[in-house]
PDB file of all heavy atoms in Angstrom:
ATOM      1  N   PRO A  63    -111.344 -64.021  57.774  1.00 94.00           N
ATOM      2  CA  PRO A  63    -110.220 -64.677  58.453  1.00 94.00           C
ATOM      3  C   PRO A  63    -110.634 -65.993  59.106  1.00 94.00           C
ATOM      4  O   PRO A  63    -109.907 -67.007  59.030  1.00 94.00           O
ATOM      5  CB  PRO A  63    -109.737 -63.622  59.467  1.00 94.00           C
ATOM      6  CG  PRO A  63    -110.166 -62.321  58.881  1.00 94.00           C
ATOM      7  CD  PRO A  63    -111.470 -62.594  58.177  1.00 94.00           C
ATOM      8  N   GLU A  64    -111.761 -66.042  59.765  1.00 95.00           N
ATOM      9  CA  GLU A  64    -112.189 -67.298  60.399  1.00 95.00           C
ATOM     10  C   GLU A  64    -112.561 -68.346  59.358  1.00 95.00           C
ATOM     11  O   GLU A  64    -112.320 -69.531  59.604  1.00 95.00           O
ATOM     12  CB  GLU A  64    -113.390 -67.029  61.389  1.00 95.00           C
ATOM     13  CG  GLU A  64    -114.729 -66.846  60.722  1.00 95.00           C
ATOM     14  CD  GLU A  64    -115.884 -66.603  61.715  1.00 95.00           C
ATOM     15  OE1 GLU A  64    -115.678 -65.730  62.592  1.00 95.00           O
ATOM     16  OE2 GLU A  64    -116.879 -67.255  61.599  1.00 95.00           O
ATOM     17  N   TRP A  65    -113.097 -67.944  58.211  1.00 95.00           N
ATOM     18  CA  TRP A  65    -113.397 -68.858  57.136  1.00 95.00           C
ATOM     19  C   TRP A  65    -112.113 -69.476  56.593  1.00 95.00           C
ATOM     20  O   TRP A  65    -112.010 -70.649  56.359  1.00 95.00           O
ATOM     21  CB  TRP A  65    -114.224 -68.182  56.011  1.00 95.00           C
ATOM     22  CG  TRP A  65    -114.576 -69.108  54.898  1.00 95.00           C
ATOM     23  CD1 TRP A  65    -115.652 -69.971  54.856  1.00 95.00           C
ATOM     24  CD2 TRP A  65    -113.862 -69.342  53.678  1.00 95.00           C
ATOM     25  NE1 TRP A  65    -115.645 -70.672  53.718  1.00 95.00           N
ATOM     26  CE2 TRP A  65    -114.569 -70.311  52.931  1.00 95.00           C
ATOM     27  CE3 TRP A  65    -112.703 -68.793  53.128  1.00 95.00           C
ATOM     28  CZ2 TRP A  65    -114.148 -70.729  51.680  1.00 95.00           C
ATOM     29  CZ3 TRP A  65    -112.310 -69.237  51.885  1.00 95.00           C
ATOM     30  CH2 TRP A  65    -112.999 -70.208  51.188  1.00 95.00           C
ATOM     31  N   LEU A  66    -111.044 -68.621  56.407  1.00 95.00           N
ATOM     32  CA  LEU A  66    -109.745 -69.105  55.928  1.00 95.00           C
ATOM     33  C   LEU A  66    -109.162 -70.084  56.868  1.00 95.00           C
ATOM     34  O   LEU A  66    -108.605 -71.100  56.483  1.00 95.00           O
ATOM     35  CB  LEU A  66    -108.885 -67.919  55.670  1.00 95.00           C
ATOM     36  CG  LEU A  66    -109.182 -67.015  54.456  1.00 95.00           C
ATOM     37  CD1 LEU A  66    -108.320 -65.745  54.512  1.00 95.00           C
ATOM     38  CD2 LEU A  66    -109.036 -67.767  53.199  1.00 95.00           C
ATOM     39  N   ASP A  67    -109.261 -69.787  58.183  1.00 94.00           N
ATOM     40  CA  ASP A  67    -108.734 -70.723  59.210  1.00 94.00           C
ATOM     41  C   ASP A  67    -109.445 -72.075  59.130  1.00 94.00           C
ATOM     42  O   ASP A  67    -108.850 -73.109  59.277  1.00 94.00           O
ATOM     43  CB  ASP A  67    -108.851 -70.092  60.579  1.00 94.00           C
ATOM     44  CG  ASP A  67    -107.929 -68.932  60.782  1.00 94.00           C
ATOM     45  OD1 ASP A  67    -106.916 -68.794  60.001  1.00 94.00           O
ATOM     46  OD2 ASP A  67    -108.159 -68.102  61.661  1.00 94.00           O
ATOM     47  N   ALA A  68    -110.795 -72.032  58.993  1.00 95.00           N
ATOM     48  CA  ALA A  68    -111.580 -73.268  58.942  1.00 95.00           C
ATOM     49  C   ALA A  68    -111.205 -74.056  57.694  1.00 95.00           C
ATOM     50  O   ALA A  68    -111.113 -75.320  57.761  1.00 95.00           O
ATOM     51  CB  ALA A  68    -113.076 -72.934  58.949  1.00 95.00           C
ATOM     52  N   VAL A  69    -110.981 -73.425  56.602  1.00 95.00           N
ATOM     53  CA  VAL A  69    -110.582 -74.124  55.352  1.00 95.00           C
ATOM     54  C   VAL A  69    -109.225 -74.791  55.530  1.00 95.00           C
ATOM     55  O   VAL A  69    -109.026 -75.955  55.154  1.00 95.00           O
ATOM     56  CB  VAL A  69    -110.545 -73.126  54.182  1.00 95.00           C
ATOM     57  CG1 VAL A  69    -109.781 -73.725  52.968  1.00 95.00           C
ATOM     58  CG2 VAL A  69    -111.950 -72.723  53.757  1.00 95.00           C
ATOM     59  N   ARG A  70    -108.312 -74.110  56.189  1.00 94.00           N
ATOM     60  CA  ARG A  70    -106.933 -74.689  56.373  1.00 94.00           C
ATOM     61  C   ARG A  70    -106.945 -75.883  57.316  1.00 94.00           C
ATOM     62  O   ARG A  70    -106.048 -76.705  57.270  1.00 94.00           O
ATOM     63  CB  ARG A  70    -106.045 -73.598  56.900  1.00 94.00           C
ATOM     64  CG  ARG A  70    -105.650 -72.616  55.803  1.00 94.00           C
ATOM     65  CD  ARG A  70    -104.539 -71.673  56.279  1.00 94.00           C
ATOM     66  NE  ARG A  70    -104.392 -70.582  55.385  1.00 94.00           N
ATOM     67  CZ  ARG A  70    -104.896 -69.348  55.561  1.00 94.00           C
ATOM     68  NH1 ARG A  70    -105.515 -69.077  56.643  1.00 94.00           N
ATOM     69  NH2 ARG A  70    -104.699 -68.457  54.602  1.00 94.00           N
ATOM     70  N   GLN A  71    -107.950 -75.986  58.192  1.00 93.00           N
ATOM     71  CA  GLN A  71    -108.011 -77.072  59.139  1.00 93.00           C
ATOM     72  C   GLN A  71    -108.431 -78.438  58.459  1.00 93.00           C
ATOM     73  O   GLN A  71    -108.152 -79.471  58.979  1.00 93.00           O
ATOM     74  CB  GLN A  71    -108.932 -76.771  60.258  1.00 93.00           C
ATOM     75  CG  GLN A  71    -108.388 -75.730  61.239  1.00 93.00           C
ATOM     76  CD  GLN A  71    -109.358 -75.311  62.287  1.00 93.00           C
ATOM     77  OE1 GLN A  71    -110.432 -75.777  62.390  1.00 93.00           O
ATOM     78  NE2 GLN A  71    -108.943 -74.318  63.081  1.00 93.00           N
ATOM     79  N   ASP A  72    -109.109 -78.319  57.307  1.00 92.00           N
ATOM     80  CA  ASP A  72    -109.587 -79.509  56.639  1.00 92.00           C
ATOM     81  C   ASP A  72    -108.529 -79.909  55.557  1.00 92.00           C
ATOM     82  O   ASP A  72    -107.819 -79.075  55.043  1.00 92.00           O
ATOM     83  CB  ASP A  72    -110.924 -79.311  55.998  1.00 92.00           C
ATOM     84  CG  ASP A  72    -112.070 -79.262  56.964  1.00 92.00           C
ATOM     85  OD1 ASP A  72    -111.939 -79.960  58.016  1.00 92.00           O
ATOM     86  OD2 ASP A  72    -113.055 -78.493  56.746  1.00 92.00           O
ATOM     87  N   ASP A  73    -108.576 -81.206  55.203  1.00 90.00           N
ATOM     88  CA  ASP A  73    -107.640 -81.706  54.220  1.00 90.00           C
ATOM     89  C   ASP A  73    -108.261 -81.619  52.816  1.00 90.00           C
ATOM     90  O   ASP A  73    -108.693 -82.602  52.261  1.00 90.00           O
ATOM     91  CB  ASP A  73    -107.261 -83.177  54.549  1.00 90.00           C
ATOM     92  CG  ASP A  73    -106.201 -83.692  53.604  1.00 90.00           C
ATOM     93  OD1 ASP A  73    -105.404 -82.894  53.053  1.00 90.00           O
ATOM     94  OD2 ASP A  73    -106.161 -84.940  53.392  1.00 90.00           O
ATOM     95  N   LEU A  74    -108.319 -80.406  52.305  1.00 92.00           N
ATOM     96  CA  LEU A  74    -108.956 -80.138  50.969  1.00 92.00           C
ATOM     97  C   LEU A  74    -107.950 -79.279  50.203  1.00 92.00           C
ATOM     98  O   LEU A  74    -108.022 -78.055  50.201  1.00 92.00           O
ATOM     99  CB  LEU A  74    -110.303 -79.401  51.133  1.00 92.00           C
ATOM    100  CG  LEU A  74    -111.339 -80.150  51.965  1.00 92.00           C
ATOM    101  CD1 LEU A  74    -112.494 -79.225  52.294  1.00 92.00           C
ATOM    102  CD2 LEU A  74    -111.826 -81.368  51.155  1.00 92.00           C
ATOM    103  N   PRO A  75    -107.034 -79.945  49.444  1.00 91.00           N
ATOM    104  CA  PRO A  75    -105.971 -79.166  48.789  1.00 91.00           C
ATOM    105  C   PRO A  75    -106.466 -78.103  47.802  1.00 91.00           C
ATOM    106  O   PRO A  75    -105.874 -77.038  47.726  1.00 91.00           O
ATOM    107  CB  PRO A  75    -105.204 -80.293  48.015  1.00 91.00           C
ATOM    108  CG  PRO A  75    -105.541 -81.557  48.707  1.00 91.00           C
ATOM    109  CD  PRO A  75    -106.903 -81.374  49.288  1.00 91.00           C
ATOM    110  N   SER A  76    -107.572 -78.346  47.096  1.00 89.00           N
ATOM    111  CA  SER A  76    -108.067 -77.381  46.143  1.00 89.00           C
ATOM    112  C   SER A  76    -108.554 -76.102  46.912  1.00 89.00           C
ATOM    113  O   SER A  76    -108.326 -74.970  46.407  1.00 89.00           O
ATOM    114  CB  SER A  76    -109.128 -77.950  45.261  1.00 89.00           C
ATOM    115  OG  SER A  76    -110.183 -78.390  46.042  1.00 89.00           O
ATOM    116  N   LEU A  77    -109.172 -76.285  48.045  1.00 92.00           N
ATOM    117  CA  LEU A  77    -109.572 -75.130  48.831  1.00 92.00           C
ATOM    118  C   LEU A  77    -108.413 -74.432  49.472  1.00 92.00           C
ATOM    119  O   LEU A  77    -108.439 -73.208  49.691  1.00 92.00           O
ATOM    120  CB  LEU A  77    -110.591 -75.516  49.876  1.00 92.00           C
ATOM    121  CG  LEU A  77    -112.048 -75.481  49.419  1.00 92.00           C
ATOM    122  CD1 LEU A  77    -112.983 -75.802  50.578  1.00 92.00           C
ATOM    123  CD2 LEU A  77    -112.422 -74.244  48.767  1.00 92.00           C
ATOM    124  N   HIS A  78    -107.370 -75.224  49.786  1.00 93.00           N
ATOM    125  CA  HIS A  78    -106.139 -74.573  50.350  1.00 93.00           C
ATOM    126  C   HIS A  78    -105.534 -73.592  49.301  1.00 93.00           C
ATOM    127  O   HIS A  78    -105.040 -72.550  49.643  1.00 93.00           O
ATOM    128  CB  HIS A  78    -105.128 -75.651  50.731  1.00 93.00           C
ATOM    129  CG  HIS A  78    -105.528 -76.454  51.953  1.00 93.00           C
ATOM    130  ND1 HIS A  78    -104.765 -77.377  52.499  1.00 93.00           N
ATOM    131  CD2 HIS A  78    -106.646 -76.376  52.704  1.00 93.00           C
ATOM    132  CE1 HIS A  78    -105.335 -77.908  53.562  1.00 93.00           C
ATOM    133  NE2 HIS A  78    -106.530 -77.334  53.681  1.00 93.00           N
ATOM    134  N   THR A  79    -105.540 -74.029  48.044  1.00 94.00           N
ATOM    135  CA  THR A  79    -105.043 -73.181  46.968  1.00 94.00           C
ATOM    136  C   THR A  79    -105.860 -71.915  46.868  1.00 94.00           C
ATOM    137  O   THR A  79    -105.343 -70.817  46.747  1.00 94.00           O
ATOM    138  CB  THR A  79    -105.059 -73.923  45.632  1.00 94.00           C
ATOM    139  OG1 THR A  79    -104.338 -75.166  45.794  1.00 94.00           O
ATOM    140  CG2 THR A  79    -104.513 -73.111  44.505  1.00 94.00           C
ATOM    141  N   LEU A  80    -107.184 -72.079  46.941  1.00 92.00           N
ATOM    142  CA  LEU A  80    -108.066 -70.885  46.921  1.00 92.00           C
ATOM    143  C   LEU A  80    -107.808 -69.947  48.087  1.00 92.00           C
ATOM    144  O   LEU A  80    -107.674 -68.754  47.947  1.00 92.00           O
ATOM    145  CB  LEU A  80    -109.529 -71.301  46.909  1.00 92.00           C
ATOM    146  CG  LEU A  80    -110.561 -70.164  47.029  1.00 92.00           C
ATOM    147  CD1 LEU A  80    -110.568 -69.302  45.795  1.00 92.00           C
ATOM    148  CD2 LEU A  80    -111.951 -70.740  47.275  1.00 92.00           C
ATOM    149  N   ALA A  81    -107.645 -70.546  49.249  1.00 93.00           N
ATOM    150  CA  ALA A  81    -107.415 -69.786  50.499  1.00 93.00           C
ATOM    151  C   ALA A  81    -106.115 -69.031  50.354  1.00 93.00           C
ATOM    152  O   ALA A  81    -105.982 -67.888  50.795  1.00 93.00           O
ATOM    153  CB  ALA A  81    -107.450 -70.724  51.722  1.00 93.00           C
ATOM    154  N   ALA A  82    -105.070 -69.680  49.827  1.00 94.00           N
ATOM    155  CA  ALA A  82    -103.735 -69.035  49.666  1.00 94.00           C
ATOM    156  C   ALA A  82    -103.864 -67.840  48.760  1.00 94.00           C
ATOM    157  O   ALA A  82    -103.276 -66.783  48.956  1.00 94.00           O
ATOM    158  CB  ALA A  82    -102.742 -70.045  49.189  1.00 94.00           C
ATOM    159  N   GLY A  83    -104.623 -68.020  47.665  1.00 94.00           N
ATOM    160  CA  GLY A  83    -104.830 -66.905  46.679  1.00 94.00           C
ATOM    161  C   GLY A  83    -105.543 -65.758  47.320  1.00 94.00           C
ATOM    162  O   GLY A  83    -105.197 -64.602  47.134  1.00 94.00           O
ATOM    163  N   ILE A  84    -106.581 -66.048  48.121  1.00 93.00           N
ATOM    164  CA  ILE A  84    -107.341 -64.984  48.819  1.00 93.00           C
ATOM    165  C   ILE A  84    -106.424 -64.305  49.845  1.00 93.00           C
ATOM    166  O   ILE A  84    -106.469 -63.089  50.031  1.00 93.00           O
ATOM    167  CB  ILE A  84    -108.576 -65.592  49.455  1.00 93.00           C
ATOM    168  CG1 ILE A  84    -109.608 -65.934  48.394  1.00 93.00           C
ATOM    169  CG2 ILE A  84    -109.232 -64.584  50.428  1.00 93.00           C
ATOM    170  CD1 ILE A  84    -110.817 -66.695  48.912  1.00 93.00           C
ATOM    171  N   ASP A  85    -105.645 -65.106  50.513  1.00 92.00           N
ATOM    172  CA  ASP A  85    -104.780 -64.557  51.581  1.00 92.00           C
ATOM    173  C   ASP A  85    -103.705 -63.622  51.057  1.00 92.00           C
ATOM    174  O   ASP A  85    -103.311 -62.682  51.734  1.00 92.00           O
ATOM    175  CB  ASP A  85    -104.058 -65.739  52.330  1.00 92.00           C
ATOM    176  CG  ASP A  85    -104.032 -65.490  53.805  1.00 92.00           C
ATOM    177  OD1 ASP A  85    -104.677 -64.507  54.275  1.00 92.00           O
ATOM    178  OD2 ASP A  85    -103.337 -66.265  54.487  1.00 92.00           O
ATOM    179  N   ARG A  86    -103.286 -63.779  49.773  1.00 94.00           N
ATOM    180  CA  ARG A  86    -102.318 -62.911  49.199  1.00 94.00           C
ATOM    181  C   ARG A  86    -102.779 -61.442  49.166  1.00 94.00           C
ATOM    182  O   ARG A  86    -101.979 -60.529  49.234  1.00 94.00           O
ATOM    183  CB  ARG A  86    -101.947 -63.345  47.802  1.00 94.00           C
ATOM    184  CG  ARG A  86    -100.834 -64.385  47.818  1.00 94.00           C
ATOM    185  CD  ARG A  86    -100.345 -64.713  46.408  1.00 94.00           C
ATOM    186  NE  ARG A  86    -100.466 -66.159  46.298  1.00 94.00           N
ATOM    187  CZ  ARG A  86    -101.218 -66.780  45.385  1.00 94.00           C
ATOM    188  NH1 ARG A  86    -101.849 -66.093  44.471  1.00 94.00           N
ATOM    189  NH2 ARG A  86    -101.282 -68.084  45.310  1.00 94.00           N
ATOM    190  N   ASP A  87    -104.084 -61.281  49.014  1.00 91.00           N
ATOM    191  CA  ASP A  87    -104.613 -59.940  48.943  1.00 91.00           C
ATOM    192  C   ASP A  87    -105.845 -59.837  49.875  1.00 91.00           C
ATOM    193  O   ASP A  87    -106.907 -59.386  49.500  1.00 91.00           O
ATOM    194  CB  ASP A  87    -104.990 -59.584  47.498  1.00 91.00           C
ATOM    195  CG  ASP A  87    -104.955 -58.086  47.241  1.00 91.00           C
ATOM    196  OD1 ASP A  87    -104.598 -57.374  48.202  1.00 91.00           O
ATOM    197  OD2 ASP A  87    -105.325 -57.678  46.149  1.00 91.00           O
ATOM    198  N   ARG A  88    -105.661 -60.254  51.113  1.00 91.00           N
ATOM    199  CA  ARG A  88    -106.735 -60.378  52.093  1.00 91.00           C
ATOM    200  C   ARG A  88    -107.427 -59.044  52.284  1.00 91.00           C
ATOM    201  O   ARG A  88    -108.668 -58.996  52.333  1.00 91.00           O
ATOM    202  CB  ARG A  88    -106.192 -60.919  53.406  1.00 91.00           C
ATOM    203  CG  ARG A  88    -107.245 -61.079  54.442  1.00 91.00           C
ATOM    204  CD  ARG A  88    -106.683 -61.415  55.790  1.00 91.00           C
ATOM    205  NE  ARG A  88    -106.175 -62.766  55.821  1.00 91.00           N
ATOM    206  CZ  ARG A  88    -106.219 -63.489  56.904  1.00 91.00           C
ATOM    207  NH1 ARG A  88    -106.652 -63.045  58.019  1.00 91.00           N
ATOM    208  NH2 ARG A  88    -105.759 -64.722  56.883  1.00 91.00           N
ATOM    209  N   ALA A  89    -106.685 -57.951  52.419  1.00 91.00           N
ATOM    210  CA  ALA A  89    -107.310 -56.664  52.703  1.00 91.00           C
ATOM    211  C   ALA A  89    -108.257 -56.248  51.563  1.00 91.00           C
ATOM    212  O   ALA A  89    -109.403 -55.758  51.838  1.00 91.00           O
ATOM    213  CB  ALA A  89    -106.284 -55.604  52.904  1.00 91.00           C
ATOM    214  N   ALA A  90    -107.886 -56.495  50.327  1.00 89.00           N
ATOM    215  CA  ALA A  90    -108.734 -56.141  49.184  1.00 89.00           C
ATOM    216  C   ALA A  90    -109.990 -57.018  49.131  1.00 89.00           C
ATOM    217  O   ALA A  90    -111.055 -56.540  48.857  1.00 89.00           O
ATOM    218  CB  ALA A  90    -107.954 -56.272  47.883  1.00 89.00           C
ATOM    219  N   VAL A  91    -109.818 -58.281  49.471  1.00 90.00           N
ATOM    220  CA  VAL A  91    -110.990 -59.213  49.433  1.00 90.00           C
ATOM    221  C   VAL A  91    -111.991 -58.797  50.530  1.00 90.00           C
ATOM    222  O   VAL A  91    -113.171 -58.762  50.272  1.00 90.00           O
ATOM    223  CB  VAL A  91    -110.543 -60.658  49.578  1.00 90.00           C
ATOM    224  CG1 VAL A  91    -111.778 -61.593  49.687  1.00 90.00           C
ATOM    225  CG2 VAL A  91    -109.665 -61.085  48.403  1.00 90.00           C
ATOM    226  N   ILE A  92    -111.436 -58.496  51.689  1.00 90.00           N
ATOM    227  CA  ILE A  92    -112.343 -58.094  52.784  1.00 90.00           C
ATOM    228  C   ILE A  92    -113.058 -56.798  52.440  1.00 90.00           C
ATOM    229  O   ILE A  92    -114.233 -56.640  52.644  1.00 90.00           O
ATOM    230  CB  ILE A  92    -111.558 -57.948  54.131  1.00 90.00           C
ATOM    231  CG1 ILE A  92    -111.119 -59.333  54.647  1.00 90.00           C
ATOM    232  CG2 ILE A  92    -112.396 -57.251  55.186  1.00 90.00           C
ATOM    233  CD1 ILE A  92    -110.215 -59.311  55.846  1.00 90.00           C
ATOM    234  N   ALA A  93    -112.281 -55.825  51.822  1.00 87.00           N
ATOM    235  CA  ALA A  93    -112.893 -54.611  51.409  1.00 87.00           C
ATOM    236  C   ALA A  93    -113.964 -54.800  50.331  1.00 87.00           C
ATOM    237  O   ALA A  93    -114.954 -54.146  50.321  1.00 87.00           O
ATOM    238  CB  ALA A  93    -111.791 -53.654  50.915  1.00 87.00           C
ATOM    239  N   GLY A  94    -113.753 -55.765  49.451  1.00 85.00           N
ATOM    240  CA  GLY A  94    -114.728 -56.057  48.434  1.00 85.00           C
ATOM    241  C   GLY A  94    -115.968 -56.724  48.949  1.00 85.00           C
ATOM    242  O   GLY A  94    -117.047 -56.625  48.378  1.00 85.00           O
ATOM    243  N   LEU A  95    -115.802 -57.498  50.017  1.00 86.00           N
ATOM    244  CA  LEU A  95    -116.901 -58.246  50.585  1.00 86.00           C
ATOM    245  C   LEU A  95    -117.763 -57.419  51.587  1.00 86.00           C
ATOM    246  O   LEU A  95    -118.891 -57.722  51.860  1.00 86.00           O
ATOM    247  CB  LEU A  95    -116.439 -59.481  51.374  1.00 86.00           C
ATOM    248  CG  LEU A  95    -115.936 -60.630  50.533  1.00 86.00           C
ATOM    249  CD1 LEU A  95    -115.364 -61.687  51.439  1.00 86.00           C
ATOM    250  CD2 LEU A  95    -117.066 -61.215  49.690  1.00 86.00           C
ATOM    251  N   THR A  96    -117.224 -56.346  52.069  1.00 85.00           N
ATOM    252  CA  THR A  96    -117.847 -55.606  53.134  1.00 85.00           C
ATOM    253  C   THR A  96    -118.836 -54.505  52.773  1.00 85.00           C
ATOM    254  O   THR A  96    -119.955 -54.564  53.251  1.00 85.00           O
ATOM    255  CB  THR A  96    -116.730 -55.012  54.105  1.00 85.00           C
ATOM    256  OG1 THR A  96    -115.895 -56.098  54.483  1.00 85.00           O
ATOM    257  CG2 THR A  96    -117.373 -54.385  55.301  1.00 85.00           C
ATOM    258  N   PRO A  97    -118.503 -53.534  51.961  1.00 82.00           N
ATOM    259  CA  PRO A  97    -119.474 -52.455  51.722  1.00 82.00           C
ATOM    260  C   PRO A  97    -120.687 -52.906  50.901  1.00 82.00           C
ATOM    261  O   PRO A  97    -120.600 -53.853  50.149  1.00 82.00           O
ATOM    262  CB  PRO A  97    -118.664 -51.398  50.931  1.00 82.00           C
ATOM    263  CG  PRO A  97    -117.566 -52.129  50.297  1.00 82.00           C
ATOM    264  CD  PRO A  97    -117.291 -53.271  51.185  1.00 82.00           C
ATOM    265  N   SER A  98    -121.789 -52.221  51.117  1.00 75.00           N
ATOM    266  CA  SER A  98    -123.011 -52.601  50.439  1.00 75.00           C
ATOM    267  C   SER A  98    -123.130 -51.952  49.054  1.00 75.00           C
ATOM    268  O   SER A  98    -123.995 -52.300  48.305  1.00 75.00           O
ATOM    269  CB  SER A  98    -124.260 -52.181  51.259  1.00 75.00           C
ATOM    270  OG  SER A  98    -124.240 -50.791  51.458  1.00 75.00           O
ATOM    271  N   TRP A  99    -122.235 -51.029  48.692  1.00 76.00           N
ATOM    272  CA  TRP A  99    -122.254 -50.391  47.421  1.00 76.00           C
ATOM    273  C   TRP A  99    -121.157 -50.995  46.505  1.00 76.00           C
ATOM    274  O   TRP A  99    -120.213 -51.592  46.999  1.00 76.00           O
ATOM    275  CB  TRP A  99    -122.051 -48.877  47.510  1.00 76.00           C
ATOM    276  CG  TRP A  99    -120.795 -48.555  48.279  1.00 76.00           C
ATOM    277  CD1 TRP A  99    -120.714 -48.336  49.613  1.00 76.00           C
ATOM    278  CD2 TRP A  99    -119.491 -48.408  47.723  1.00 76.00           C
ATOM    279  NE1 TRP A  99    -119.405 -48.088  49.951  1.00 76.00           N
ATOM    280  CE2 TRP A  99    -118.603 -48.111  48.769  1.00 76.00           C
ATOM    281  CE3 TRP A  99    -118.980 -48.475  46.444  1.00 76.00           C
ATOM    282  CZ2 TRP A  99    -117.261 -47.858  48.606  1.00 76.00           C
ATOM    283  CZ3 TRP A  99    -117.595 -48.254  46.303  1.00 76.00           C
ATOM    284  CH2 TRP A  99    -116.785 -47.974  47.354  1.00 76.00           C
ATOM    285  N   ASN A 100    -121.327 -50.811  45.196  1.00 72.00           N
ATOM    286  CA  ASN A 100    -120.286 -51.277  44.268  1.00 72.00           C
ATOM    287  C   ASN A 100    -120.385 -50.413  43.010  1.00 72.00           C
ATOM    288  O   ASN A 100    -121.259 -49.657  42.847  1.00 72.00           O
ATOM    289  CB  ASN A 100    -120.407 -52.789  43.964  1.00 72.00           C
ATOM    290  CG  ASN A 100    -121.666 -53.117  43.215  1.00 72.00           C
ATOM    291  OD1 ASN A 100    -122.101 -52.437  42.303  1.00 72.00           O
ATOM    292  ND2 ASN A 100    -122.321 -54.192  43.654  1.00 72.00           N
ATOM    293  N   SER A 101    -119.389 -50.598  42.158  1.00 76.00           N
ATOM    294  CA  SER A 101    -119.335 -49.800  40.941  1.00 76.00           C
ATOM    295  C   SER A 101    -119.800 -50.582  39.724  1.00 76.00           C
ATOM    296  O   SER A 101    -119.413 -50.252  38.578  1.00 76.00           O
ATOM    297  CB  SER A 101    -117.898 -49.266  40.731  1.00 76.00           C
ATOM    298  OG  SER A 101    -117.031 -50.403  40.611  1.00 76.00           O
ATOM    299  N   GLY A 102    -120.643 -51.513  39.906  1.00 77.00           N
ATOM    300  CA  GLY A 102    -121.127 -52.391  38.841  1.00 77.00           C
ATOM    301  C   GLY A 102    -121.842 -51.657  37.707  1.00 77.00           C
ATOM    302  O   GLY A 102    -121.658 -51.925  36.556  1.00 77.00           O
TER     303      GLY A 102
END
Side-chain angles (χ1 to χ4, degrees):
E64 77 181 47
W65 182 84
L66 290 170
D67 292 340
V69 165
R70 286 189 191 101
Q71 289 174 3
D72 286 327
D73 186 26
L74 300 167
S76 58
L77 272 186
H78 289 182
T79 304
L80 173 68
I84 289 173
D85 219 10
R86 274 187 235 120
D87 206 3
R88 181 188 288 213
V91 175
I92 291 173
L95 288 173
T96 305
S98 60
W99 55 269
N100 65 45
S101 61

